[in-house]
Amino acid sequence: MNPHLFIGLPVNEALKACALKWQRNLNGHQHYKRLMHPDDLHLTLAFLGATPDTDAALLWEDFKQHVRGFQPFTLCFDRIDGFGHPDHPRVLYLSPKPSESLTKIKHLTDAHIQAAGLHVSYKPFHPHVTLMKKWQGNETVFDKGYSLPVFLEEPVQVGMDQICLYRIHPGKTPSYEVTGIISGSR
């Protein structure tokens, strides 16, 4: 069976701490089947799906040349939002303010994947870092008076200076293994 892979951006310790705080504040363990492990937090650029190791290695080497020397940039995560019903979203996530640099990296990534003959999602890109997923409760997750989106009192700045290739290990914690890193040029 081929491993499932994706390309994403790792996050810093400040955002991991913010994520853990909000998982606790929103009683995530009571409402969701899966709370993301701090080491699994990331911003997905592209899901590659089941990819043979040889194809993945070629794609990654080619991709490194394609984005070589990308300029590091900063994202400002300023809110929590969700996918699904506002009272019990199936996915709860941290969201950054819009960023031209992120949009550029996303377009470069999609163009390369498409040129390699792989499927590119045509869904609108909603950059996010998943906090919790798979709603399992009956009542609203926002029992403390919150409503979506929840704007953070202190937004978190995250320097994006790496692009990573991740391998998914279902059933393990953490679930995502970094198998390749591209560093930006300063």
Side-chain angles (χ1 to χ4, degrees):
M1 184 170 176
N2 293 322
H4 282 74
L5 305 172
F6 65 91
I7 296 172
L9 303 171
V11 300
N12 63 14
E13 294 302 317
L15 197 69
K16 289 178 184 182
C18 179
L20 289 172
K21 173 186 158 190
W22 281 98
Q23 286 174 341
R24 282 191 305 271
N25 284 353
L26 297 172
N27 295 319
H29 63 283
Q30 293 176 354
H31 301 294
Y32 287 88
K33 290 181 184 174
R34 180 150 186 231
L35 275 63
M36 299 305 291
H37 186 280
D39 292 338
D40 282 341
L41 297 173
H42 68 280
L43 189 150
T44 300
L45 291 174
F47 182 72
L48 303 175
T51 310
D53 286 334
T54 53
D55 291 351
L58 290 171
L59 175 75
W60 187 246
E61 286 306 312
D62 211 28
F63 185 64
K64 283 200 285 193
Q65 298 306 313
H66 188 70
V67 297
R68 180 185 51 212
F70 81 91
Q71 294 298 310
F73 58 97
T74 300
L75 291 178
C76 178
F77 287 83
D78 66 344
R79 65 194 172 282
I80 294 173
D81 212 337
F83 296 126
H85 192 283
D87 288 339
H88 44 82
R90 68 184 182 284
V91 174
L92 206 61
Y93 59 85
L94 285 159
S95 184
K97 291 181 179 181
S99 163
E100 279 187 43
S101 297
L102 177 58
T103 300
K104 181 180 176 184
I105 289 293
K106 172 64 174 158
H107 288 304
L108 282 171
T109 303
D110 285 353
H112 180 72
I113 291 168
Q114 195 167 24
L118 297 174
H119 172 73
V120 174
S121 175
Y122 291 101
K123 292 180 183 177
F125 180 52
H126 294 286
H128 66 280
V129 173
T130 299
L131 296 172
M132 303 174 250
K133 58 185 176 180
K134 299 185 180 176
W135 172 258
Q136 67 179 358
N138 292 327
E139 73 281 356
T140 175
V141 72
F142 299 109
D143 51 7
K144 293 186 178 183
Y146 297 113
S147 61
L148 292 178
V150 176
F151 286 91
L152 305 179
E153 288 181 21
E154 295 181 33
V156 179
Q157 303 287 327
V158 180
M160 296 294 174
D161 59 357
Q162 293 181 332
I163 301 172
C164 296
L165 178 65
Y166 292 88
R167 181 181 194 146
I168 302 172
H169 296 283
K172 284 188 170 183
T173 303
S175 302
Y176 307 140
E177 173 191 7
V178 174
T179 63
I181 297 173
I182 300 169
S183 296
S185 63
R186 302 213 178 258

